[in-house]
Amino acid sequence: MAFNAPPQGMQVYAAPSLFQPHRARDAIRDAHKKKIPPLLGYYSGLSALPLTRLLAPMNFDAVFIDWEHTSCNVETMTSMVHESIFMSHGRTIPWVRVPGHDHAAIGFALDAGASIVIPQVETVEQAKYVVSAAKYGTKQDGTRSAPPFRLIPSLTDTPYDSTQDLHKCINNQAAIMIQIESLEAINNLDAILTQVPDIDMVWLGSLDARVSMNLPGNSGLGGSEPEWLEATDKFFAVIDKHDKPYSGFCFVKPPYGSPKAVKKAAERMSMIFVSVDVVALSGMAYELAHSREAVALPDKNGDKENINGHEEKKILDN
């Protein structure tokens, strides 16, 4: 890309310095209002910096860095955020799912330059606490500490809006997404969004919600039980009432999805995570099975066997 080329993708929402968070709040609002297509992202379930570096030039609009369910430490999380921003030339917005509601963890992710995903928000009190941890200044009940050396004066600290100071701008840049992952959270969602308007986006965590309701997890793909349908109807009615952007998974490839499913999801979703690193790497098992079939030696009956003596076709059919 030439240095003077017009901005592409999420570069439009980049801050004056890539050390600052993108204007992610504006990006998801524009997607919600159908000014731009939904953001398309991938889920990073492996805390592997080389994978982040490899995927960054593919120019996904967003990456979901899962700090909650990996062995990722603060330094690795920070490096993954920086790699996804810098190696994509600002075309990718990093979102970090923090481990719980810890005030320090929220600060670390935001200081790195990410927007944040807060898991298992169930009550108004929890929502108020996590938003407070993510905001500067008492006007927004903020308790976030300003890092003194994260941004360098006159080099990386230029506010995107010259009429406001830096920290007010950063409050308006990084976005906050909460995950609703239980029936209690669904029942409290209307009160949460009414009393905590600085929440920017909502995600329905189907896997955790179903498990918490004593239903089969179904790999997070939902279900048809009456109580589940009632719960999801209530969830969507609430986010429609509050006109709140919505995000989640939807896949383009069978068996988990289809192009038609993604097109349908785009009618409601402002950010869609369409790929998963773990799932993509799991495709190597398919390649291995077919390769074993290709090189297998015939048994006494003339049938090909794999190294365990089972007919390869049985593996492929399964």
Side-chain angles (χ1 to χ4, degrees):
M1 182 190 71
F3 287 109
N4 294 324
Q8 299 178 21
M10 292 300 105
Q11 284 180 325
V12 174
Y13 299 94
S17 167
L18 294 181
F19 284 97
Q20 296 181 30
H22 284 74
R23 293 185 294 107
R25 301 186 79 197
D26 288 339
I28 59 176
R29 287 168 182 164
D30 285 351
H32 183 62
K33 295 174 182 176
K34 308 301 184 187
K35 293 181 179 180
I36 62 172
L39 281 66
L40 301 179
Y42 79 93
Y43 167 88
S44 177
L46 301 172
S47 53
L49 191 57
L51 281 179
T52 308
R53 188 176 300 124
L54 174 71
L55 293 168
M58 296 182 187
N59 301 326
F60 282 92
D61 298 320
V63 54
F64 186 122
I65 298 170
D66 195 347
W67 191 15
E68 180 189 23
H69 289 299
T70 67
S71 58
C72 187
N73 59 25
V74 173
E75 184 175 1
T76 300
M77 176 277 295
T78 300
S79 296
M80 291 174 71
V81 169
H82 289 170
E83 290 285 326
S84 62
I85 297 174
F86 284 92
M87 298 299 286
S88 71
H89 300 283
R91 294 193 188 99
T92 300
I93 299 177
W95 295 74
V96 172
R97 175 158 65 177
V98 297
H101 301 170
D102 181 64
H103 192 289
I106 291 170
F108 281 133
L110 291 168
D111 287 352
S115 288
I116 55 172
V117 182
I118 309 293
Q120 297 183 317
V121 175
E122 298 197 331
T123 66
V124 170
E125 291 72 23
Q126 290 175 347
K128 287 181 176 179
Y129 177 83
V130 297
V131 170
S132 171
K135 297 294 183 182
Y136 295 118
T138 57
K139 187 175 181 180
Q140 292 179 274
D141 297 319
T143 56
R144 180 183 174 189
S145 176
F149 304 114
R150 178 66 69 174
L151 299 174
I152 303 172
S154 302
L155 288 178
T156 59
D157 71 341
T158 302
Y160 77 88
D161 182 349
S162 61
T163 67
Q164 299 189 58
D165 68 53
L166 174 65
H167 295 96
K168 288 180 180 177
C169 284
I170 291 177
N171 273 353
N172 291 326
Q173 289 168 226
I176 302 169
M177 175 161 60
I178 64 167
Q179 293 190 299
I180 299 300
E181 302 184 272
S182 70
L183 184 58
E184 179 185 4
I186 292 172
N187 289 334
N188 289 334
L189 183 57
D190 188 25
I192 290 170
L193 296 182
T194 298
Q195 298 185 47
V196 194
D198 282 327
I199 292 168
D200 299 295
M201 181 173 273
V202 183
W203 176 302
L204 176 60
S206 298
L207 176 59
D208 272 327
R210 288 182 59 82
V211 170
S212 77
M213 294 171 66
N214 303 303
L215 298 171
N218 290 349
S219 299
L221 297 177
S224 58
E225 300 89 348
E227 61 268 44
W228 175 250
L229 297 178
E230 181 181 356
T232 55
D233 285 347
K234 184 172 186 177
F235 171 86
F236 287 115
V238 171
I239 64 169
D240 287 346
K241 172 185 174 181
H242 291 271
D243 195 27
K244 192 65 68 172
Y246 165 61
S247 180
F249 289 116
C250 190
F251 303 112
V252 74
K253 291 177 61 177
Y256 302 109
S258 66
K260 184 177 180 180
V262 173
K263 185 174 183 179
K264 180 66 176 177
E267 295 176 6
R268 178 185 286 275
M269 299 173 77
S270 303
M271 182 165 61
I272 310 172
F273 288 90
V274 297
S275 191
V276 176
D277 56 1
V278 179
V279 174
L281 289 171
S282 296
M284 296 171 70
Y286 175 87
E287 296 170 348
L288 175 61
H290 279 74
S291 297
R292 280 181 170 160
E293 181 186 36
V295 303
L297 299 174
D299 64 10
K300 291 183 294 184
N301 297 320
D303 295 324
K304 287 188 173 182
E305 295 184 345
N306 70 1
I307 59 174
N308 296 316
H310 301 296
E311 291 183 16
E312 192 68 32
K313 186 176 183 300
K314 292 180 181 178
I315 294 178
L316 298 177
D317 287 345
N318 290 335

